[in-house]
Amino acid sequence: GQQLNQSPQSMFIQEGEDVSMNCTSSSIFNTWLWYKQDPGEGPVLLIALYKAGELTSNGRLTAQFGITRKDSFLNISASIPSDVGIYFCAGQLWYGGATNKLIFGTGTLLAVQP
Amino acid sequence: GAGVSQSPSNKVTEKGKDVELRCDPISGHTALYWYRQSLGQGLEFLIYFQGNSAPDKSGLPSDRFSAERTGGSVSTLTIQRTQQEDSAVYLCASSLTGGLPNTGELFFGEGSRLTVL
């Protein structure tokens, strides 16, 4: 299946630590997104990036759209227990007025120890 | 509710049987997606419907898999002659598309967990 390469696969950290994860693709995208999935639920959008080089923050989350349009990273500062979950990157290539499908990364499992 | 609804939430079937999974997207959303999530794996794209356009079926893993979207709303994913490797959570998502700006935000259902014995 079509997936993006995401790393690391998993992270086990202490509460208060910062976290960084990234995503790479062999194809370019003009939208990068980061989703979080809690156990037993569907993923929920955290941050969306629309321009190469763009750096966007949402509270303790910061994400960047790589200048080559083939990569993105997500940082979480001062982690807390509720940050636990699976984080997915997603790339989208849209044109005209319609969107194209989202291709998701392989996911990063984050565990935070209080 | 107003979210994406999927049914059944859990399905256990025997190898070789056919199964149908249903998705009710958010009202007014023109795009509908099916993804498959295997244990410990990421989200594997299966199929994408956009309005009245021909669906993008490029992610369907074999001809045993098919999907329909009737009336631009409800979608059914059908798996024929199920195999054990079909066991996974099947996630449906919808989005509001057309024109700019487009957030690319997909709204996911809680998924249908399929177990093939």
Side-chain angles (χ1 to χ4, degrees), chain B residues 2-58:
Chain B
V4 176
S5 177
Q6 290 188 246
S7 62
S9 56
N10 280 285
K11 175 71 175 179
V12 180
T13 190
E14 293 179 347
K15 177 181 174 181
K17 295 288 181 66
D18 298 350
V19 297
E20 285 189 351
L21 308 176
R22 176 188 169 101
C23 174
D24 282 279
I26 293 174
S27 177
H29 281 194
T30 58
L32 186 147
Y33 306 74
W34 283 98
Y35 289 87
R36 178 169 70 175
Q37 186 173 26
S38 302
L39 185 63
Q41 299 297 311
L43 297 172
E44 177 188 5
F45 168 77
L46 297 178
I47 188 168
Y48 160 64
F49 295 90
Q50 170 59 61
N52 295 320
S53 302
D56 181 340
K57 303 179 181 180
S58 60

Side-chain angles (χ1 to χ4, degrees), chain A residues 18-74:
Chain A
D18 296 344
V19 171
S20 184
M21 58 192 79
N22 65 71
C23 198
T24 60
S25 169
S26 57
S27 305
I28 62 170
F29 293 105
N30 49 19
T31 300
W32 279 93
L33 308 108
W34 286 90
Y35 283 76
K36 181 193 177 193
Q37 184 179 29
D38 290 327
E41 299 183 10
V44 174
L45 181 67
L46 297 174
I47 286 183
L49 303 153
Y50 305 111
K51 185 177 178 181
E54 179 181 359
L55 184 71
T56 296
S57 293
N58 179 7
R60 294 179 296 107
L61 307 179
T62 301
Q64 184 158 32
F65 190 143
I67 196 70
T68 65
R69 297 170 61 190
K70 293 184 177 181
D71 63 319
S72 177
F73 73 74
L74 174 71

Side-chain angles (χ1 to χ4, degrees), chain A residues 8-22:
Chain A
Q9 281 189 321
S10 59
M11 301 183 73
F12 300 89
I13 63 172
Q14 297 285 333
E15 182 177 2
E17 290 184 18
D18 296 344
V19 171
S20 184
M21 58 192 79
N22 65 71

